[in-house]
């Protein structure tokens, strides 16, 4: 069963710029939601690191 999650992510670019973003994603659990967001932002060629803390940055919506 898929649930809706709100994910807060910190994206760090190679030129040391930082971007904080929130995303809505449908996933089966928190780990899957985290993987989806990481996959989305690692596709960008300028991305150096994506930071998401599973315990605090991923919220399941009802």
């Amino acid at each position: 069963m898929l649930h809706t999650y709100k994910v807060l992510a910190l994206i760090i670019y190679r030129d040391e710029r930082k971007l904080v973003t929130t995303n809505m994603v449908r996933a089966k659990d928190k780990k899957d939601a985290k993987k989806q967001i990481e996959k989305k932002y690692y596709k960008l060629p300028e991305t150096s690191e994506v930071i998401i803390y599973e315990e605090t940055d991923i919220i399941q919506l009802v």
Side-chain angles (χ1 to χ4, degrees):
M1 181 176 187
L2 294 178
H3 300 282
T4 304
Y5 293 93
K6 184 175 182 179
V7 182
L8 177 66
L10 172 64
I11 293 87
I12 301 174
Y13 294 100
R14 292 180 192 204
D15 61 358
E16 297 187 17
R17 288 181 296 139
K18 295 177 180 146
L19 172 70
V20 175
T21 182
T22 57
N23 299 276
M24 302 290 275
V25 64
R26 298 212 18 106
K28 49 186 177 172
D29 57 17
K30 285 185 174 188
K31 289 183 182 191
D32 187 38
K34 181 179 178 180
K35 286 180 188 177
Q36 287 183 26
I37 298 302
E38 286 176 340
K39 183 178 176 183
K40 174 182 178 179
Y41 285 104
Y42 276 127
K43 283 184 182 178
L44 301 174
E46 301 170 352
T47 303
S48 173
E49 189 175 356
V50 177
I51 300 172
I52 302 170
Y53 294 109
E54 213 171 291
E55 301 82 30
T56 58
D57 294 342
I58 303 175
I59 300 168
Q60 182 178 350
L61 302 176
V62 274

